[in-house]
Amino acid sequence: MSRFKKCAKVAHAKLHSFFPQISLGQTQQLLAAALGHKTYASFSISDASAFDGQAAYAVLVQESAMLRALDFGIEMNRDHWDLLISEISEKQVVGDLEICQHLHNIYWRARYEFFDGQYQEIEALVRPHGTVEVFRRLLSEAPYIEPAYVDDGGVLPQDFYVTLHGEICVAIDSSRDVGWGVPVHAEFGFNRIGRRLLTQSELTSIRQVDSPRQCAPYDERDSDDGMTFD
């Protein structure tokens, strides 16, 4: 059974407890609508293989699903939808595909990659300042997403780029007391492979944007000033 059909089966079981008249086929139509399609047939022709395979993120539109439900005489609200998505997540039927309820989730994924991703480009940038990488942190929580885009529930732009203003703190050799904070701009890209399906993020560029500041990396990492992250 495909990943999409597993999702529909779990969603149908949850919706059936609220709407006994809903069919599995109608539930498939609701999920297809949330993925930017007017019909399940449209989804199955163009996006089904990507949903089951290459896609890393599916950006759903709950409003589209609720409007489609009205076509079936079903008054589904946000609470019903949230329970449906929670059930799909708890049953782990999507595997490594991440279900996103809002495009802003893409920014959070880039944020996570900046903190924890392993990239040779980052290592090469900080190597002149120290040999032990300690941690990364954001200097600004305001995301910059290119292109500037208001999601209308339709097809997403072909490419997204998220730029983060951050700092990479490194120790000098094995010293725990002396190091450098290197300010950087890091850009992560996402490619669309379906109407509302995206690939894994890629670090498309990272550059130093100012002179490093001297710091005590380990002390700053353990500080409680709200700026550092693991």
Side-chain angles (χ1 to χ4, degrees):
M1 184 182 295
S2 71
R3 175 186 282 168
F4 182 85
K5 289 185 176 180
K6 289 179 181 178
C7 289
K9 185 177 180 180
V10 170
H12 177 250
K14 174 57 68 174
L15 288 176
H16 191 265
S17 63
F18 301 108
F19 312 107
Q21 75 275 27
I22 193 170
S23 68
L24 178 59
Q26 289 171 333
T27 304
Q28 291 176 338
Q29 298 283 355
L30 301 186
L31 291 178
L35 287 164
H37 292 266
K38 292 183 178 179
T39 65
Y40 170 67
S42 170
F43 169 81
S44 63
I45 292 172
S46 61
D47 285 5
S49 61
F51 188 91
D52 290 337
Q54 293 178 291
Y57 309 101
V59 185
L60 305 184
V61 184
Q62 58 183 339
E63 290 82 3
S64 296
M66 291 186 289
L67 286 173
R68 190 73 174 101
L70 291 176
D71 294 338
F72 307 131
I74 296 171
E75 295 186 6
M76 186 175 69
N77 59 36
R78 293 178 185 273
D79 289 337
H80 297 134
W81 178 258
D82 288 342
L83 288 171
L84 177 157
I85 296 301
S86 295
E87 190 75 359
I88 290 175
S89 299
E90 289 175 7
K91 298 293 185 181
Q92 298 182 335
V93 294
V94 293
D96 57 359
L97 174 69
E98 185 170 330
I99 298 295
C100 301
Q101 291 278 60
H102 193 280
L103 191 58
H104 198 70
N105 290 118
I106 299 304
Y107 162 66
W108 286 99
R109 175 49 54 181
R111 186 181 189 273
Y112 172 82
E113 286 298 322
F114 176 73
F115 291 144
D116 296 325
Q118 301 301 312
Y119 298 101
Q120 293 181 351
E121 297 90 338
I122 293 179
E123 294 175 3
L125 188 148
V126 300
R127 193 175 295 121
H129 306 289
T131 59
V132 182
E133 183 179 338
V134 180
F135 68 95
R136 308 165 196 172
R137 66 182 185 176
L138 291 183
L139 297 178
S140 171
E141 281 291 340
Y144 177 75
I145 299 178
E146 177 66 32
Y149 180 72
V150 176
D151 191 356
D152 62 0
V155 180
L156 296 176
Q158 185 62 49
D159 299 291
F160 282 97
Y161 297 95
V162 178
T163 300
L164 303 174
H165 180 203
E167 184 178 59
I168 303 170
C169 295
V170 293
I172 297 176
D173 297 321
S174 59
S175 171
R176 296 183 61 88
D177 301 321
V178 181
W180 298 96
V182 184
V184 298
H185 280 171
E187 181 185 82
F188 293 87
F190 301 81
N191 182 252
R192 176 173 61 81
I193 56 174
R195 291 191 179 183
R196 302 190 63 82
L197 304 173
L198 303 174
T199 59
Q200 287 282 5
S201 63
E202 294 183 8
L203 177 65
T204 54
S205 71
I206 184 166
R207 59 187 177 89
Q208 184 175 329
V209 294
D210 204 349
S211 300
R213 65 177 183 88
Q214 193 167 1
C215 65
Y218 288 90
D219 290 343
E220 292 198 15
R221 183 178 189 178
D222 295 333
S223 69
D224 189 26
D225 60 4
M227 289 297 294
T228 61
F229 302 85
D230 290 328

